[in-house]
Amino acid sequence: MNKIWDFIAENPMAAVVAGGEIGFWVAIVAGLVARYLLKLKRTSVLLLLLTPVIDLVVLVATVIDLRNGATANFVHGLAAVYLGFSVVFGHSMIKWADARFAHRFAGGPPPPPKPTGRAKLRAEWRDWFKCVLACGLAAGVLLLLIFMVGDTEQVAPLWDWLPRMGVVTAIWFATGPLWQEFSKNDDRVKEGARR
């Protein structure tokens, strides 16, 4: 446990990023509790609207930390990647949680089943394009941070994130749409057997 506290003391941005992720889910759960259990629709909307504010707080904290002379490290790059993925995937994560919460606590319809066959392939492509968009947004934030700070040595570790995101998109492509493309024949056989 002491190692965790030592890491946070040496990297306060780690606490900001972790707090942002925790805050994101707390805002979602609080918003859903307000909507379905407490029947406070306006409060629910306000709580769910906090999620992009949390993203903005993480970004501003990263900029302030770097502008105050901190040397960029892994966590500063992670903040940019967190922001990109949170912005692009945030709405679908809220929608996913909302469907399950409504079903469990408010008598809503069951969440839709996982897609199969062609629908699964379309979903894999859609998610991969969202991954590319999230990485593109994160890359834009990284470049903005790099050029805002301007000190080449101070921000050198941020450049390392650009190829990392390329690797993430390649792995996502291989394990998502490409994998589904090759396994779709199995899904068609299964769908045909069900008929």
Side-chain angles (χ1 to χ4, degrees), residues 9 14 44 51-52 145:
S44 169
T51 56
L145 292 173

Side-chain angles (χ1 to χ4, degrees), residues 12-116:
M13 279 305 301
V16 172
V17 173
E21 180 66 11
I22 292 166
F24 177 84
W25 286 105
V26 167
I28 290 174
V29 170
L32 296 175
V33 166
R35 175 175 291 168
Y36 293 111
L37 299 181
L38 303 176
K39 308 294 187 207
L40 302 170
K41 181 114 172 135
R42 287 184 184 169
T43 303
S44 169
V45 170
L46 290 174
L47 288 166
L48 293 174
L49 286 175
L50 280 179
T51 56
V53 173
I54 292 166
D55 295 337
L56 188 59
V57 168
V58 171
L59 177 62
V60 168
T62 304
V63 170
I64 290 170
D65 194 40
L66 291 172
R67 294 291 294 219
N68 286 339
T71 300
N73 59 28
F74 178 84
V75 177
H76 291 93
L78 183 62
V81 173
Y82 164 78
L83 178 69
F85 276 81
S86 180
V87 166
V88 174
F89 284 93
H91 178 71
S92 56
M93 288 190 291
I94 291 171
K95 189 175 174 183
W96 176 89
D98 184 59
R100 278 142 187 83
F101 206 92
H103 176 64
R104 176 81 169 97
F105 296 105
K114 290 184 179 182
T116 59

Side-chain angles (χ1 to χ4, degrees), residues 142-174:
L142 285 167
L143 292 172
L144 179 70
L145 292 173
I146 288 167
F147 292 114
M148 278 181 70
V149 175
D151 183 346
T152 306
E153 286 184 33
Q154 184 185 359
V155 295
L158 295 180
W159 287 105
D160 297 339
W161 276 95
L162 298 174
R164 285 179 187 149
M165 288 186 294
V167 170
V168 167
T169 57
I171 291 171
W172 195 308
F173 176 75

